[in-house]
PDB file of all heavy atoms in Angstrom:
ATOM      1  N   LYS A  17     -16.955-134.514   0.851  1.00  0.00           N
ATOM      2  CA  LYS A  17     -18.342-134.250   1.244  1.00  0.00           C
ATOM      3  C   LYS A  17     -18.419-133.021   2.152  1.00  0.00           C
ATOM      4  O   LYS A  17     -19.297-132.162   1.990  1.00  0.00           O
ATOM      5  CB  LYS A  17     -18.930-135.460   1.972  1.00  0.00           C
ATOM      6  CG  LYS A  17     -19.206-136.672   1.092  1.00  0.00           C
ATOM      7  CD  LYS A  17     -19.760-137.808   1.936  1.00  0.00           C
ATOM      8  CE  LYS A  17     -19.922-139.086   1.133  1.00  0.00           C
ATOM      9  NZ  LYS A  17     -20.430-140.198   1.962  1.00  0.00           N
ATOM     10  N   TRP A  18     -17.491-132.944   3.114  1.00  0.00           N
ATOM     11  CA  TRP A  18     -17.486-131.811   4.043  1.00  0.00           C
ATOM     12  C   TRP A  18     -17.036-130.539   3.336  1.00  0.00           C
ATOM     13  O   TRP A  18     -17.537-129.453   3.627  1.00  0.00           O
ATOM     14  CB  TRP A  18     -16.607-132.125   5.245  1.00  0.00           C
ATOM     15  CG  TRP A  18     -17.303-133.002   6.235  1.00  0.00           C
ATOM     16  CD1 TRP A  18     -17.577-134.337   6.124  1.00  0.00           C
ATOM     17  CD2 TRP A  18     -17.864-132.609   7.487  1.00  0.00           C
ATOM     18  NE1 TRP A  18     -18.270-134.790   7.226  1.00  0.00           N
ATOM     19  CE2 TRP A  18     -18.448-133.750   8.082  1.00  0.00           C
ATOM     20  CE3 TRP A  18     -17.921-131.400   8.174  1.00  0.00           C
ATOM     21  CZ2 TRP A  18     -19.078-133.720   9.311  1.00  0.00           C
ATOM     22  CZ3 TRP A  18     -18.542-131.364   9.411  1.00  0.00           C
ATOM     23  CH2 TRP A  18     -19.127-132.514   9.972  1.00  0.00           C
ATOM     24  N   LEU A  19     -16.115-130.662   2.399  1.00  0.00           N
ATOM     25  CA  LEU A  19     -15.662-129.494   1.649  1.00  0.00           C
ATOM     26  C   LEU A  19     -16.809-128.894   0.850  1.00  0.00           C
ATOM     27  O   LEU A  19     -16.934-127.673   0.745  1.00  0.00           O
ATOM     28  CB  LEU A  19     -14.505-129.889   0.719  1.00  0.00           C
ATOM     29  CG  LEU A  19     -13.835-128.762  -0.066  1.00  0.00           C
ATOM     30  CD1 LEU A  19     -13.223-127.736   0.878  1.00  0.00           C
ATOM     31  CD2 LEU A  19     -12.769-129.334  -0.998  1.00  0.00           C
ATOM     32  N   ARG A  20     -17.668-129.751   0.303  1.00  0.00           N
ATOM     33  CA  ARG A  20     -18.804-129.264  -0.485  1.00  0.00           C
ATOM     34  C   ARG A  20     -19.828-128.524   0.373  1.00  0.00           C
ATOM     35  O   ARG A  20     -20.681-127.809  -0.155  1.00  0.00           O
ATOM     36  CB  ARG A  20     -19.476-130.426  -1.226  1.00  0.00           C
ATOM     37  CG  ARG A  20     -18.704-130.914  -2.444  1.00  0.00           C
ATOM     38  CD  ARG A  20     -19.567-131.807  -3.324  1.00  0.00           C
ATOM     39  NE  ARG A  20     -19.831-133.095  -2.710  1.00  0.00           N
ATOM     40  CZ  ARG A  20     -19.100-134.189  -2.912  1.00  0.00           C
ATOM     41  NH1 ARG A  20     -18.036-134.145  -3.714  1.00  0.00           N
ATOM     42  NH2 ARG A  20     -19.403-135.331  -2.323  1.00  0.00           N
ATOM     43  N   MET A  21     -19.777-128.692   1.686  1.00  0.00           N
ATOM     44  CA  MET A  21     -20.721-128.022   2.571  1.00  0.00           C
ATOM     45  C   MET A  21     -20.276-126.625   2.963  1.00  0.00           C
ATOM     46  O   MET A  21     -20.970-125.947   3.723  1.00  0.00           O
ATOM     47  CB  MET A  21     -20.923-128.841   3.855  1.00  0.00           C
ATOM     48  CG  MET A  21     -21.783-130.063   3.703  1.00  0.00           C
ATOM     49  SD  MET A  21     -22.332-130.656   5.326  1.00  0.00           S
ATOM     50  CE  MET A  21     -20.770-131.017   6.110  1.00  0.00           C
ATOM     51  N   SER A  22     -19.116-126.169   2.482  1.00  0.00           N
ATOM     52  CA  SER A  22     -18.547-124.899   2.954  1.00  0.00           C
ATOM     53  C   SER A  22     -19.490-123.715   2.739  1.00  0.00           C
ATOM     54  O   SER A  22     -19.585-122.826   3.585  1.00  0.00           O
ATOM     55  CB  SER A  22     -17.195-124.633   2.280  1.00  0.00           C
ATOM     56  OG  SER A  22     -17.329-124.595   0.871  1.00  0.00           O
ATOM     57  N   GLY A  23     -20.204-123.705   1.616  1.00  0.00           N
ATOM     58  CA  GLY A  23     -21.149-122.620   1.357  1.00  0.00           C
ATOM     59  C   GLY A  23     -22.290-122.608   2.363  1.00  0.00           C
ATOM     60  O   GLY A  23     -22.683-121.549   2.870  1.00  0.00           O
ATOM     61  N   GLU A  24     -22.807-123.784   2.675  1.00  0.00           N
ATOM     62  CA  GLU A  24     -23.894-123.912   3.660  1.00  0.00           C
ATOM     63  C   GLU A  24     -23.404-123.511   5.050  1.00  0.00           C
ATOM     64  O   GLU A  24     -24.123-122.847   5.810  1.00  0.00           O
ATOM     65  CB  GLU A  24     -24.397-125.355   3.675  1.00  0.00           C
ATOM     66  CG  GLU A  24     -25.616-125.579   4.561  1.00  0.00           C
ATOM     67  CD  GLU A  24     -26.024-127.035   4.642  1.00  0.00           C
ATOM     68  OE1 GLU A  24     -25.432-127.864   3.916  1.00  0.00           O
ATOM     69  OE2 GLU A  24     -26.919-127.345   5.446  1.00  0.00           O
ATOM     70  N   ILE A  25     -22.175-123.918   5.389  1.00  0.00           N
ATOM     71  CA  ILE A  25     -21.597-123.551   6.687  1.00  0.00           C
ATOM     72  C   ILE A  25     -21.451-122.036   6.779  1.00  0.00           C
ATOM     73  O   ILE A  25     -21.758-121.427   7.811  1.00  0.00           O
ATOM     74  CB  ILE A  25     -20.239-124.248   6.893  1.00  0.00           C
ATOM     75  CG1 ILE A  25     -20.438-125.755   7.042  1.00  0.00           C
ATOM     76  CG2 ILE A  25     -19.522-123.693   8.122  1.00  0.00           C
ATOM     77  CD1 ILE A  25     -19.153-126.552   7.040  1.00  0.00           C
ATOM     78  N   ARG A  26     -21.006-121.413   5.703  1.00  0.00           N
ATOM     79  CA  ARG A  26     -20.828-119.955   5.678  1.00  0.00           C
ATOM     80  C   ARG A  26     -22.159-119.249   5.937  1.00  0.00           C
ATOM     81  O   ARG A  26     -22.221-118.272   6.691  1.00  0.00           O
ATOM     82  CB  ARG A  26     -20.242-119.529   4.340  1.00  0.00           C
ATOM     83  CG  ARG A  26     -19.844-118.056   4.286  1.00  0.00           C
ATOM     84  CD  ARG A  26     -19.383-117.639   2.899  1.00  0.00           C
ATOM     85  NE  ARG A  26     -18.140-118.297   2.534  1.00  0.00           N
ATOM     86  CZ  ARG A  26     -18.023-119.252   1.616  1.00  0.00           C
ATOM     87  NH1 ARG A  26     -19.111-119.693   0.974  1.00  0.00           N
ATOM     88  NH2 ARG A  26     -16.857-119.779   1.329  1.00  0.00           N
ATOM     89  N   ASP A  27     -23.229-119.749   5.337  1.00  0.00           N
ATOM     90  CA  ASP A  27     -24.549-119.145   5.541  1.00  0.00           C
ATOM     91  C   ASP A  27     -24.992-119.282   6.995  1.00  0.00           C
ATOM     92  O   ASP A  27     -25.572-118.351   7.567  1.00  0.00           O
ATOM     93  CB  ASP A  27     -25.581-119.812   4.628  1.00  0.00           C
ATOM     94  CG  ASP A  27     -25.345-119.495   3.156  1.00  0.00           C
ATOM     95  OD1 ASP A  27     -24.628-118.521   2.868  1.00  0.00           O
ATOM     96  OD2 ASP A  27     -25.863-120.247   2.305  1.00  0.00           O
ATOM     97  N   ASN A  28     -24.738-120.451   7.591  1.00  0.00           N
ATOM     98  CA  ASN A  28     -25.077-120.654   8.997  1.00  0.00           C
ATOM     99  C   ASN A  28     -24.316-119.683   9.892  1.00  0.00           C
ATOM    100  O   ASN A  28     -24.877-119.122  10.838  1.00  0.00           O
ATOM    101  CB  ASN A  28     -24.767-122.092   9.417  1.00  0.00           C
ATOM    102  CG  ASN A  28     -25.917-123.043   9.170  1.00  0.00           C
ATOM    103  OD1 ASN A  28     -26.866-123.110   9.936  1.00  0.00           O
ATOM    104  ND2 ASN A  28     -25.837-123.789   8.089  1.00  0.00           N
ATOM    105  N   LEU A  29     -23.046-119.489   9.600  1.00  0.00           N
ATOM    106  CA  LEU A  29     -22.231-118.594  10.409  1.00  0.00           C
ATOM    107  C   LEU A  29     -22.754-117.165  10.370  1.00  0.00           C
ATOM    108  O   LEU A  29     -22.750-116.463  11.389  1.00  0.00           O
ATOM    109  CB  LEU A  29     -20.773-118.638   9.933  1.00  0.00           C
ATOM    110  CG  LEU A  29     -19.987-119.901  10.299  1.00  0.00           C
ATOM    111  CD1 LEU A  29     -18.617-119.888   9.636  1.00  0.00           C
ATOM    112  CD2 LEU A  29     -19.830-120.036  11.808  1.00  0.00           C
ATOM    113  N   GLN A  30     -23.201-116.731   9.210  1.00  0.00           N
ATOM    114  CA  GLN A  30     -23.755-115.389   9.100  1.00  0.00           C
ATOM    115  C   GLN A  30     -24.964-115.227  10.013  1.00  0.00           C
ATOM    116  O   GLN A  30     -25.151-114.184  10.649  1.00  0.00           O
ATOM    117  CB  GLN A  30     -24.138-115.100   7.642  1.00  0.00           C
ATOM    118  CG  GLN A  30     -22.953-114.910   6.711  1.00  0.00           C
ATOM    119  CD  GLN A  30     -22.057-113.761   7.127  1.00  0.00           C
ATOM    120  OE1 GLN A  30     -22.527-112.678   7.481  1.00  0.00           O
ATOM    121  NE2 GLN A  30     -20.748-113.987   7.106  1.00  0.00           N
ATOM    122  N   GLU A  31     -25.779-116.267  10.071  1.00  0.00           N
ATOM    123  CA  GLU A  31     -26.962-116.238  10.948  1.00  0.00           C
ATOM    124  C   GLU A  31     -26.552-116.224  12.414  1.00  0.00           C
ATOM    125  O   GLU A  31     -27.119-115.487  13.227  1.00  0.00           O
ATOM    126  CB  GLU A  31     -27.844-117.451  10.654  1.00  0.00           C
ATOM    127  CG  GLU A  31     -29.103-117.516  11.496  1.00  0.00           C
ATOM    128  CD  GLU A  31     -29.950-118.739  11.209  1.00  0.00           C
ATOM    129  OE1 GLU A  31     -29.705-119.400  10.176  1.00  0.00           O
ATOM    130  OE2 GLU A  31     -30.838-119.043  12.024  1.00  0.00           O
ATOM    131  N   PHE A  32     -25.538-117.027  12.767  1.00  0.00           N
ATOM    132  CA  PHE A  32     -25.106-117.135  14.163  1.00  0.00           C
ATOM    133  C   PHE A  32     -24.432-115.861  14.659  1.00  0.00           C
ATOM    134  O   PHE A  32     -24.432-115.574  15.855  1.00  0.00           O
ATOM    135  CB  PHE A  32     -24.161-118.320  14.344  1.00  0.00           C
ATOM    136  CG  PHE A  32     -24.781-119.652  13.992  1.00  0.00           C
ATOM    137  CD1 PHE A  32     -23.987-120.714  13.577  1.00  0.00           C
ATOM    138  CD2 PHE A  32     -26.153-119.849  14.073  1.00  0.00           C
ATOM    139  CE1 PHE A  32     -24.546-121.935  13.260  1.00  0.00           C
ATOM    140  CE2 PHE A  32     -26.722-121.063  13.749  1.00  0.00           C
ATOM    141  CZ  PHE A  32     -25.921-122.118  13.335  1.00  0.00           C
ATOM    142  N   LEU A  33     -23.842-115.100  13.733  1.00  0.00           N
ATOM    143  CA  LEU A  33     -23.232-113.829  14.122  1.00  0.00           C
ATOM    144  C   LEU A  33     -24.287-112.836  14.589  1.00  0.00           C
ATOM    145  O   LEU A  33     -24.049-112.024  15.487  1.00  0.00           O
ATOM    146  CB  LEU A  33     -22.461-113.227  12.942  1.00  0.00           C
ATOM    147  CG  LEU A  33     -21.108-113.847  12.609  1.00  0.00           C
ATOM    148  CD1 LEU A  33     -20.571-113.238  11.314  1.00  0.00           C
ATOM    149  CD2 LEU A  33     -20.113-113.636  13.731  1.00  0.00           C
ATOM    150  N   ILE A  34     -25.456-112.912  13.982  1.00  0.00           N
ATOM    151  CA  ILE A  34     -26.540-111.978  14.302  1.00  0.00           C
ATOM    152  C   ILE A  34     -27.364-112.463  15.492  1.00  0.00           C
ATOM    153  O   ILE A  34     -27.685-111.690  16.400  1.00  0.00           O
ATOM    154  CB  ILE A  34     -27.454-111.798  13.071  1.00  0.00           C
ATOM    155  CG1 ILE A  34     -26.649-111.227  11.898  1.00  0.00           C
ATOM    156  CG2 ILE A  34     -28.640-110.905  13.403  1.00  0.00           C
ATOM    157  CD1 ILE A  34     -27.386-111.262  10.577  1.00  0.00           C
ATOM    158  N   LYS A  35     -27.669-113.764  15.490  1.00  0.00           N
ATOM    159  CA  LYS A  35     -28.554-114.315  16.515  1.00  0.00           C
ATOM    160  C   LYS A  35     -27.753-115.009  17.610  1.00  0.00           C
ATOM    161  O   LYS A  35     -26.938-115.876  17.342  1.00  0.00           O
ATOM    162  CB  LYS A  35     -29.521-115.323  15.870  1.00  0.00           C
ATOM    163  CG  LYS A  35     -30.584-115.847  16.819  1.00  0.00           C
ATOM    164  CD  LYS A  35     -31.540-116.781  16.093  1.00  0.00           C
ATOM    165  CE  LYS A  35     -32.618-117.313  17.038  1.00  0.00           C
ATOM    166  NZ  LYS A  35     -33.549-118.228  16.339  1.00  0.00           N
ATOM    167  N   GLU A  36     -28.014-114.633  18.848  1.00  0.00           N
ATOM    168  CA  GLU A  36     -27.319-115.255  19.972  1.00  0.00           C
ATOM    169  C   GLU A  36     -27.864-116.652  20.246  1.00  0.00           C
ATOM    170  O   GLU A  36     -28.997-116.985  19.885  1.00  0.00           O
ATOM    171  CB  GLU A  36     -27.475-114.396  21.234  1.00  0.00           C
ATOM    172  CG  GLU A  36     -26.739-113.081  21.176  1.00  0.00           C
ATOM    173  CD  GLU A  36     -26.500-112.501  22.560  1.00  0.00           C
ATOM    174  OE1 GLU A  36     -25.987-113.223  23.434  1.00  0.00           O
ATOM    175  OE2 GLU A  36     -26.822-111.312  22.759  1.00  0.00           O
ATOM    176  N   ALA A  37     -27.056-117.469  20.898  1.00  0.00           N
ATOM    177  CA  ALA A  37     -27.477-118.815  21.299  1.00  0.00           C
ATOM    178  C   ALA A  37     -28.552-118.717  22.371  1.00  0.00           C
ATOM    179  O   ALA A  37     -28.707-117.696  23.047  1.00  0.00           O
ATOM    180  CB  ALA A  37     -26.281-119.605  21.813  1.00  0.00           C
ATOM    181  N   SER A  38     -29.301-119.801  22.553  1.00  0.00           N
ATOM    182  CA  SER A  38     -30.389-119.808  23.539  1.00  0.00           C
ATOM    183  C   SER A  38     -29.884-120.080  24.952  1.00  0.00           C
ATOM    184  O   SER A  38     -30.663-120.030  25.900  1.00  0.00           O
ATOM    185  CB  SER A  38     -31.434-120.865  23.154  1.00  0.00           C
ATOM    186  OG  SER A  38     -30.912-122.179  23.296  1.00  0.00           O
ATOM    187  N   ALA A  39     -28.581-120.372  25.087  1.00  0.00           N
ATOM    188  CA  ALA A  39     -27.987-120.687  26.393  1.00  0.00           C
ATOM    189  C   ALA A  39     -26.712-119.870  26.571  1.00  0.00           C
ATOM    190  O   ALA A  39     -26.152-119.359  25.600  1.00  0.00           O
ATOM    191  CB  ALA A  39     -27.664-122.184  26.469  1.00  0.00           C
ATOM    192  N   PRO A  40     -26.248-119.736  27.811  1.00  0.00           N
ATOM    193  CA  PRO A  40     -24.987-119.020  28.050  1.00  0.00           C
ATOM    194  C   PRO A  40     -23.829-119.686  27.309  1.00  0.00           C
ATOM    195  O   PRO A  40     -23.748-120.917  27.250  1.00  0.00           O
ATOM    196  CB  PRO A  40     -24.799-119.130  29.568  1.00  0.00           C
ATOM    197  CG  PRO A  40     -26.160-119.384  30.118  1.00  0.00           C
ATOM    198  CD  PRO A  40     -26.874-120.194  29.074  1.00  0.00           C
ATOM    199  N   VAL A  41     -22.940-118.870  26.758  1.00  0.00           N
ATOM    200  CA  VAL A  41     -21.827-119.373  25.954  1.00  0.00           C
ATOM    201  C   VAL A  41     -20.500-118.935  26.551  1.00  0.00           C
ATOM    202  O   VAL A  41     -20.305-117.757  26.877  1.00  0.00           O
ATOM    203  CB  VAL A  41     -21.911-118.866  24.502  1.00  0.00           C
ATOM    204  CG1 VAL A  41     -20.728-119.397  23.685  1.00  0.00           C
ATOM    205  CG2 VAL A  41     -23.231-119.279  23.859  1.00  0.00           C
TER     206      VAL A  41
END
């Protein structure tokens, strides 16, 4: 089930690379 999510996870990561978190990291 988690392996099948790899494409969705990859898309999220692309977004997170561009957009910073709302709190200090």
Side-chain angles (χ1 to χ4, degrees):
K17 289 179 186 179
W18 281 73
L19 185 61
R20 284 194 289 267
M21 284 196 299
S22 58
E24 186 185 354
I25 292 171
R26 188 185 293 109
D27 292 342
N28 272 280
L29 286 174
Q30 289 300 316
E31 181 181 346
F32 299 154
L33 284 173
I34 299 169
K35 186 177 180 180
E36 291 200 51
S38 68
V41 179

